[in-house]
Amino acid sequence: SETRKPLSPRVLGTIIQALQGADLTNMVRRQSICSLIGNAAPQPLLYELYISIDDVRDTLAPGFNLGANRWLFNYLTENLDYSMLAIMEKSTNLSSAAEISINLNVSTLLSPEFIKFDDNINASMRGSLIVEVQIVDIFSNLNAFIFARDYVKDRGYRICVDGLTHDTLSVVNRERLGADMVKILWNNDLPEVANRKKIMEKIKSLGKSRVILCHCDNKEAVNYGHDFGISMFQG
């Protein structure tokens, strides 16, 4: 809300210190990505695991807006990435039966923490883990992303480009980025977008079966996705 104070470096330092060694397992949320075809019941395909920023704020920095400063927020998410990797490393119930996705910063993929994580997990888990990377993060340092992507894919993980909007769709070539899938953010303005034909062609070029429409909170989102041949949806 508007009354929250912006995050300061000092408060961020306190949060990061509190995160060191803290077990955040109870802050991990799981959201399913489902296949929705026609009127059939939704079939969960994979689960995105993430640490709830709201829980982190309420527990460690109530009264602050953690996202007010992009750079400080980025630094915070890097530290949350490390917490997430530690949780996944310890977790025994991440069987290869369920496909899982986690959102990580490019810098995390190039960190000693990720190498340690990769060394310690069961090889079968690599094949069922999808690493999501934000489009903004990718384009802020394309060379770093390409380096990270090659390393990650070489180890057997898959890559999903997250955070696409109908405006950024046109700049993304999924195959050239070496991504296995992409996520487009649903918002209620989408049906009003004039160049439907352009979007239709773009989604076709991305590969309809590799597109996830996310932030879907109503029937209209699903209908919209179906119009474009999309069959994977996330709430």
Side-chain angles (χ1 to χ4, degrees), residues 24-32 47-56 80-81 84 87-88 100-103 132 183 234-235:
L24 304 185
T25 309
N26 62 341
M27 294 187 192
V28 173
R29 300 287 167 265
R30 188 173 99 147
Q31 193 177 42
S32 53
Y47 295 95
E48 180 178 351
L49 296 181
Y50 60 94
I51 292 171
S52 161
I53 295 285
D54 290 351
D55 285 358
V56 170
L80 290 176
D81 284 356
M84 190 72 196
I87 289 167
M88 292 192 68
I100 287 166
S101 75
I102 54 173
N103 217 304
E132 299 189 18
K183 269 189 183 180
Q234 183 176 10

Side-chain angles (χ1 to χ4, degrees), residues 31-34 48 212-218 233-235:
Q31 193 177 42
S32 53
I33 294 166
C34 293
E48 180 178 351
I212 299 163
L213 192 62
C214 61
H215 293 189
C216 299
D217 52 5
N218 55 31
F233 298 88
Q234 183 176 10

Side-chain angles (χ1 to χ4, degrees), residues 34-40 42 186 196 200 203 208 213 216 219-233:
C34 293
S35 160
L36 270 172
I37 297 170
N39 294 318
W186 158 260
R196 280 180 77 88
M200 185 76 95
I203 288 174
K208 292 175 190 175
L213 192 62
C216 299
K219 185 84 175 89
E220 197 183 5
V222 177
N223 292 341
Y224 175 87
H226 281 162
D227 284 351
F228 287 106
I230 296 171
S231 59
M232 289 190 287
F233 298 88

Side-chain angles (χ1 to χ4, degrees), residues 1 15 25 32 60-61 68 77 82 98 101 127 137 150 189 195 208:
S1 76
I15 297 174
T25 309
S32 53
L60 299 175
T77 61
Y82 304 150
S101 75
D137 194 14
D150 289 350
D189 303 337
N195 39 6
K208 292 175 190 175

